[in-house]
Amino acid sequence: MGTRIIFSHRLLVVFVSLLILLAACGQGTSPATGTNASPAATPTAARDVFGTPIVFPKTPPQRIVSLLPSTSEILGALHLEQRVVGIDYNTNYPATLTSKPKVSNANGIYNVEQIVALKPDLVLSYGGETKQYDTQLRQLGLNVVDFPLSNLTQMLQQIKLVGRLTFTEDAANKLVQQLQRQIDQVKAAVAGTTAPTVLLEVDDSTPGKPYVFGGTSFGDELAQDANAHNIFHNNSSNGGYPQVSDEAVIGANPQYVILTEDPAYGGDVNLVYKRANWGNVDAVKSHKVYRINVDIIQRPGPRLVEGLQCLAQIVHPDKFSTPLPAYCSATV
């Protein structure tokens, strides 16, 4: 429970300060080379979150450290568990990875000495969240790849990049093809329907000022693929995760409210019905407030496709012959 709370809150709420930082830093420095760094090929056009060209190793990495749950889930989906030697505190899926050494604690502090001692030949992260540690690890000669913030389509490309980095391109391509088929099936199921208006809430730990999925975010793309209209589609501030006001939500009057955060940060359906002045919102009046498991809709990994399935079935239940999958609202 605690692992999920810390991850989702830290990753999505700190985007305000994170994106300001990224804008200020511009191009990052190239990864340092040293005794622990993998022999590097010529950099390609692919770039990390800091704008630095990603350097692809010449030999398959055998000792991989994942600094965030999203990259851990990609590695697990590519069946690379045997090559993973360290994970972050919040990785809780797949189960085959959870017994690996933890290189961070519940407060999001990473143990650089421990990471170096694991002798990784590849370190993976996402979204610049571990920028401070990326810099230290690169200075110590490690090959660190911190993927850019992404939407759903870009996440599929990142799976392919992990495939290239780990010499599992065939598995990555097959996984992406499978995920794309699932996406296409959902889109086909809801094609031609009327798109209802939805609020996709990310965090409401500051009452009256929720963070939401806005334009350019993967949540916004999920809404489009589910044929729903995100009421904050035109707001792409804070990198697509704007902080809005209750008044803005009430004014937009969504037909559905979808909570994607842990209950500790506002993701309690029952409490939405008690929010001040929300009584006349269509979603509240018609009892169309739902929560989707934070792990499958806030982590930019392969399980986002499950989040898409859940969202589509919630807003277009008549277009699916099976009940809403249990994983949609499951704790894990």
Side-chain angles (χ1 to χ4, degrees):
M1 189 74 170
T3 60
R4 182 170 49 263
I5 292 171
I6 294 168
F7 171 73
S8 61
H9 181 60
R10 193 176 75 249
L11 175 59
L12 290 166
V13 177
V14 301
F15 275 156
V16 180
S17 57
L18 171 60
L19 290 160
I20 292 173
L21 176 62
L22 295 182
C25 73
Q27 295 284 332
T29 56
S30 298
T33 57
T35 56
N36 292 326
S38 300
T42 302
T44 71
R47 294 179 180 273
D48 66 13
V49 69
F50 310 114
T52 306
I54 293 175
V55 177
F56 293 88
K58 290 181 177 178
T59 57
Q62 299 299 316
R63 301 182 63 81
I64 305 170
V65 168
S66 172
L67 300 184
L68 288 176
S70 57
T71 49
S72 296
E73 293 197 15
I74 293 175
L75 292 168
L78 295 178
H79 308 293
L80 289 165
E81 295 94 329
Q82 296 302 314
R83 290 202 243 163
V84 176
V85 296
I87 58 173
D88 72 293
Y89 178 88
N90 297 302
T91 287
N92 59 1
Y93 185 91
T96 49
L97 281 180
T98 56
S99 62
K100 301 288 184 178
K102 304 291 194 297
V103 298
S104 65
N105 62 24
N107 296 317
I109 305 301
Y110 290 76
N111 188 328
V112 172
E113 290 184 1
Q114 180 189 8
I115 295 172
V116 173
L118 290 170
K119 299 181 180 179
D121 42 18
L122 179 64
V123 179
L124 296 181
S125 190
Y126 171 84
E129 189 179 357
T130 57
K131 178 181 185 294
Q132 169 190 348
Y133 303 101
D134 295 350
T135 300
Q136 294 180 53
L137 294 170
R138 284 172 169 171
Q139 290 173 344
L140 292 169
L142 300 185
N143 184 20
V144 181
V145 177
D146 194 327
F147 294 111
L149 299 173
S150 61
N151 57 26
L152 178 61
T153 301
Q154 292 163 341
M155 182 276 295
L156 297 179
Q157 297 306 310
Q158 288 179 358
I159 291 175
K160 290 185 176 183
L161 284 177
V162 174
R164 290 184 61 191
L165 286 162
T166 58
F167 289 67
T168 56
E169 289 184 78
D170 287 345
N173 288 333
K174 288 179 181 178
L175 174 60
V176 168
Q177 290 170 4
Q178 173 192 329
L179 295 174
Q180 188 61 61
R181 281 195 298 271
Q182 292 175 257
I183 293 169
D184 292 342
Q185 288 170 358
V186 171
K187 292 170 71 173
V190 300
T193 58
T194 300
T197 55
V198 299
L199 164 69
L200 296 172
E201 185 174 280
V202 167
D203 182 285
D204 190 53
S205 54
T206 304
K209 296 182 178 181
Y211 284 89
V212 301
F213 280 115
T216 72
S217 67
F218 55 79
D220 187 66
E221 187 175 0
L222 291 178
Q224 293 178 59
D225 287 348
N227 198 29
H229 177 69
N230 175 11
I231 61 173
F232 292 107
H233 170 74
N234 292 327
N235 188 342
S236 58
S237 61
N238 298 331
Y241 300 85
Q243 185 175 26
V244 300
S245 65
D246 274 359
E247 291 76 14
V249 174
I250 295 167
N253 195 26
Q255 294 169 278
Y256 286 84
V257 169
I258 310 293
L259 308 178
T260 72
E261 69 269 45
D262 190 279
Y265 297 103
D268 186 325
V269 170
N270 294 323
L271 293 181
V272 172
Y273 292 105
K274 299 177 182 179
R275 291 182 183 179
N277 303 316
W278 282 49
N280 289 324
V281 172
D282 281 351
V284 174
K285 289 193 295 185
S286 60
H287 285 80
K288 292 181 177 178
V289 180
Y290 298 85
R291 181 179 71 86
I292 297 178
N293 173 10
V294 61
D295 288 354
I296 65 172
I297 202 162
Q298 281 199 17
R299 291 182 180 177
R303 292 195 294 168
L304 272 185
V305 175
E306 294 180 9
L308 170 62
Q309 177 80 28
C310 297
L311 179 57
Q313 283 201 228
I314 286 171
V315 300
H316 297 292
D318 58 320
K319 295 300 179 181
F320 297 86
S321 58
T322 57
L324 191 67
Y327 60 69
C328 291
S329 58
T331 301
V332 175

